[in-house]
Amino acid sequence: MTSLAAHTAETSADTPQNDAAESSRPVEFRVSPEAYRHWRLSFDGPVATLTMDVDEQGGLRDGYELKLNSYDLGVDIELYDAVQRLRFEHPEVRVVVLTSGKDKIFCAGANIRMLAGSPHPWKVNFCKFTNETRNGMEDATANSGQTYIAALNGTASGGGYELALACEHIMLVDDRSSAVSLPELPLLGVLPGTGGLTRIVDKRHVRRDHADYFSTKAEGLAGKKAVDWKLVDEAVPRPKWDDTVASRAAERAATSSRPADVTGIVLSPLDKQRTDDEISYRYVRAKLDRSAGTVEITVTAAAQRAGTDIAALHAQGADFWTLAMTRELDDLILDLRTNELELGTWIFRTEGSAAAVLSHDQLLLDHADDWLANETVHYLKRTFKRLDVTSRSLLALIEPGSCFAGSLLELALAADRSYQLFGVFEDVDPDAEPAEITPGEMNFGPLPMGNGLTRLRTRFLDDEDALAAVQAETGHALDAEAADALGLVTFVPDDIDWDEEVRIAVEQRASFSPDALTGMEANYRFAGPETMETKIFGRLTAWQNWIFYRPNASGADGALLKFGTGQRADFDRKRV
Amino acid sequence: MTSLAAHTAETSADTPQNDAAESSRPVEFRVSPEAYRHWRLSFDGPVATLTMDVDEQGGLRDGYELKLNSYDLGVDIELYDAVQRLRFEHPEVRVVVLTSGKDKIFCAGANIRMLAGSPHPWKVNFCKFTNETRNGMEDATANSGQTYIAALNGTASGGGYELALACEHIMLVDDRSSAVSLPELPLLGVLPGTGGLTRIVDKRHVRRDHADYFSTKAEGLAGKKAVDWKLVDEAVPRPKWDDTVASRAAERAATSSRPADVTGIVLSPLDKQRTDDEISYRYVRAKLDRSAGTVEITVTAAAQRAGTDIAALHAQGADFWTLAMTRELDDLILDLRTNELELGTWIFRTEGSAAAVLSHDQLLLDHADDWLANETVHYLKRTFKRLDVTSRSLLALIEPGSCFAGSLLELALAADRSYQLFGVFEDVDPDAEPAEITPGEMNFGPLPMGNGLTRLRTRFLDDEDALAAVQAETGHALDAEAADALGLVTFVPDDIDWDEEVRIAVEQRASFSPDALTGMEANYRFAGPETMETKIFGRLTAWQNWIFYRPNASGADGALLKFGTGQRADFDRKRV
């Protein structure tokens, strides 16, 4: 029974309409408000309202209807775009009210038909992206003075309630029918996939026995009990709903740190070329090698140094190198993760002037109180965080002409391994400057990982002296010998060994079990303290991976396919 | 291809010789040194030497030979017994030297043939038990003044190196052939299953890029490089080996907190009756209900109160109620976990005198500096920790005549939900005392969970006031109304509702996906901070669950079955 179920689950992985990697049209993450099918953004002074009104027929793939404000990846791509634009294009916004355009339903969560028909990697990648978007909402609240309020004007179930959990304040209409619920376990035999379990106990401090009961009660809880158990912050009768939402928004807006009288910038459409073997933007390009299973990613520095006047950032807006490069890298990561599952190793290179990179870093850090500089650095932080949770092996190659300096040095620090050439390539350019890396201020605080520590501090977890030794070299270019002595790079082969050593590393990576690599990398990348974020990506994701994969969830008799049929799932009852 | 592989992996779950649950003979955890087949214990004053010398033909199941000091569950059951006896029977021991009785090999880790032929739940449960044993070695070092030293007189690979990682000091013979390694990923397509990844970066602070390289290099590292990368603490030439091991042991012994001139107690054989539907000991009995999928576990208090003289503990030894009950509960947990996979809900009751329980607690806590009292409390702590990581739903039923007080209240606090009867059962005994629970000193510190916090503090994560309110009731019996008001129990049904409410809870639990329940419980039980322990059981275990389950590891063309055949595994290369 279970083996038959496993067989079916696997077969569904080959259904073309569901498998982005095998579909002719890659999933596209670039979108803008004019093209939204599922969301409406409206503005009233410092309060923005983000209204979810999903187009049932607007699914990213065929085979399901997005009923009851349920969502698929396409819906979430628009949400991510809205969250980003609110930060960059709308500095006047201090509160974002998240609500629904439907009667009686806020959001029913991820679409079940979509999940049931999706191959395993799609499900996992979809959960990862939606998690990152919700973390991004919390990041906006914490770091941009844009507080998210969930105005649940109807039932929020599953991923719908998890979306609310990413907000700082949850209001639920008290009308004897609207409830919050996590019906995944009782109805679908899986876990809430976007941080619900973690946020309930670790963010909202719901008691674990209450959490247990709540998560097994498909219809959820409402009214006073939902408030008493801390599942929502307030239950508001419908007659008082509009006024109460408005006053909560006004209260939060009044305490925001967001500056007054500033003007946003425009996140103009990203210029991107994509062929079957190359994806390129202005500062980022990627070469896809399907036979080797690799992507060679090159990030280019700005052509010129930045000045010291922050007005240049505002004048250049989305053309400012750091922001432009970050947007490109962000889009590339999302594209590759979703569309190129078999390219298991990403190889990072940089090229250009380290001084140009560092000057852009410096301008941003010297004006950390400028809202746009602040947004740019936090966006860079979130983008590098995506790398940390990407289930691909990451290598960095540090060669002559590269610019692993400051912000771009994080690429090497995020990598599972880095190789820095000792000396130069004699055949190519014997007179070149040797490969160097340059620590910068960006490496010592502004760009923490999900565990709350910088990549350098995580690298030298027990070793304050090692960290101090690197910090003493801030702004200094370090050749291979110096970088090696400081513990900043993994290997420093010379010209003679370079090609073979790199080739072996890449070939080895391609020969190993992709699953085991993913598990190993997820464990090694996050030493030290844990946070809600690392719990969500490290622990919850792993459990969900396993549960999704088991026939009890995804088999022909599993809960996902039986959902809505009136038949019960047939479970293998062994506890593992 | 992959689906066929999944089919094969599943089919092997039905191979009788490997599936304890379907075997006629349950796995037995009770053992004693006279019966060891795989280990030798020898003593030289304060230094014990624990020598691994695995009997190749001594596998717990048929179908594999335990070559190269590889182990199966049976080998680890003996190790667990030895670690326990060292603490209780050998208070004179201050250092335990862990070494091998074979030439050139310390330990090759878990036996691959055993793993490849084992069903998924067996693999996961095996890893859990071995993890607990290794955590127990670290607990002995931290809390008993018994420091473990790994004397690697030959290669330690995979689980063999992980065993060394659980020691405080790792010595590797420097002989140009002996190495430490984690070959799981390159050779088997799985992760090291007993905490290796976590201990490398979080305990030994090996740099993550070094860890990455090391874990992909099947032959491992040796000598100076292993020391430089912090993988071992010293590499010792063979001529100096014996002297160096002896002097490290002497150094550690000299700094131990273990008291001098004390006499151990004997861990006499546990009296246990086991039938198909009941497991019973002196103070613990369990009723197995296969149709309901439940185990009803009743823990009985001592018949009499303990006195105030600690000499009684030493005189009674293994008959002292706390220790006797703990040993029984420990054995029961291990038995049920391994042998009764389909009994997914454990229902805890207690019976007897709360005063008797509290008096035993008090005697132990009033003499916390007594080595045996200390050992007993730490053993109780470790046993309750086993419950926290047990993949079964845990319910506690608090009824008239029960004694959920102090140490036994932890059973209710460890439960996913607790039900306390409001009032009495009118039909049974209208004049009974109502059901009560009693907080005791044991609930406020001595019995922390793996996250380092007490169960009460984890329960009231954000709420110092709630915790203080409970602490103010130390020693006071609380009826259902009072316990409910303090947030100590989940539900307080009265006589009229009790049967139905409990029945529904149990039936519901049996109807849900066992996988999703396991995942949910693992997430809810550990709110708050993370430790190496919670990372190992929460994160690493979840990844390993998934990886083990995937065809890339366990399928017919997966790495586990291809190992040693000379053929390469055929991997689905999609990254998830």
Side-chain angles (χ1 to χ4, degrees), chain A residues 199-246:
Chain A
R199 285 199 177 86
I200 280 187
V201 290
D202 272 319
K203 179 180 181 180
R204 297 191 62 87
H205 300 299
V206 174
R207 250 169 52 197
R208 57 170 277 216
D209 52 346
H210 287 163
D212 179 285
Y213 179 76
F214 172 65
S215 307
T216 60
K217 191 175 166 70
E219 65 273 32
L221 292 171
K224 182 172 182 305
K225 187 150 203 169
V227 177
D228 287 348
W229 283 19
K230 305 187 196 173
L231 296 164
V232 304
D233 294 291
E234 55 183 325
V236 182
R238 205 170 273 282
K240 295 187 181 173
W241 180 253
D242 291 343
D243 286 351
T244 312
V245 171

Side-chain angles (χ1 to χ4, degrees), chain A residues 2 10 202 209 212 215-216 341 391 393 417 459 490 509-510 512 515 524 528 530 535 573 575, chain B residues 2 10 202 209 212 215-216 341 391 393 417 459 490 509-510 512 515 524 528 530 535 550 573 575:
Chain A
T2 50
E10 268 305 297
D202 272 319
D209 52 346
D212 179 285
S215 307
T216 60
L341 302 179
S391 57
S393 297
R417 295 185 200 172
R459 188 177 185 87
T490 317
R509 221 70 187 182
F512 293 146
D515 306 339
Y524 279 158
E530 296 260 357
K535 283 186 179 184
R573 300 233 59 88
R575 275 287 194 128
Chain B
T2 49
E10 269 304 298
D202 272 318
D209 54 345
D212 180 285
S215 307
T216 61
L341 301 180
S391 59
S393 298
R417 295 186 201 172
R459 187 177 188 85
T490 317
R509 221 71 186 181
F512 294 146
D515 306 339
Y524 279 158
E530 296 261 355
K535 283 186 180 185
R550 295 261 295 174
R573 299 232 61 86
R575 275 288 192 126

Side-chain angles (χ1 to χ4, degrees), chain A residues 246-431:
Chain A
S247 63
R248 291 295 169 271
E251 286 159 25
R252 296 281 174 154
T255 61
S256 168
S257 61
R258 202 81 175 167
D261 301 323
V262 292
T263 309
I265 64 161
V266 176
L267 295 180
S268 49
L270 266 190
D271 189 22
K272 173 181 182 180
Q273 276 76 45
R274 195 189 203 292
T275 67
D276 194 49
D277 55 9
E278 186 158 330
I279 302 173
S280 60
Y281 314 80
R282 183 165 173 198
Y283 297 112
V284 176
R285 64 179 192 274
K287 216 180 112 211
L288 284 51
D289 185 337
R290 294 177 196 286
S291 64
T294 60
V295 186
E296 299 193 46
I297 299 169
T298 304
V299 179
T300 308
Q304 286 162 346
R305 295 191 192 196
T308 57
D309 184 354
I310 193 66
L313 169 63
H314 290 266
Q316 293 176 48
D319 286 330
F320 186 79
W321 173 78
T322 311
L323 182 51
M325 179 276 291
T326 303
R327 291 182 72 202
E328 295 169 9
L329 186 59
D330 190 21
D331 186 76
L332 178 68
I333 293 169
L334 295 174
D335 184 323
L336 291 173
R337 271 198 203 160
T338 307
N339 299 310
E340 302 293 349
L341 302 179
E342 301 208 3
L343 304 182
T345 302
W346 294 0
I347 301 163
F348 281 95
R349 288 187 177 83
T350 57
E351 63 180 25
S353 155
V357 174
L358 292 170
S359 68
H360 282 78
D361 289 357
Q362 204 60 51
L363 180 64
L364 294 170
L365 295 178
D366 284 348
H367 299 88
D369 56 351
D370 177 89
W371 76 270
L372 184 54
N374 177 61
E375 286 305 339
T376 304
V377 173
H378 280 293
Y379 184 23
L380 185 61
K381 172 196 74 180
R382 294 194 301 279
T383 302
F384 286 145
K385 279 188 184 183
R386 283 208 208 272
L387 283 179
D388 300 326
V389 299
T390 290
S391 57
R392 304 290 190 278
S393 297
L394 308 176
L395 303 183
L397 300 185
I398 303 161
E399 299 166 335
S402 68
C403 53
F404 286 95
S407 50
L408 291 192
L409 179 56
E410 292 293 314
L411 291 170
L413 297 173
D416 299 302
R417 295 185 200 172
S418 55
Y419 292 79
Q420 181 170 4
L421 182 70
F422 195 104
V424 297
F425 293 121
E426 294 291 341
D427 290 351
V428 179
D429 183 358
D431 302 321

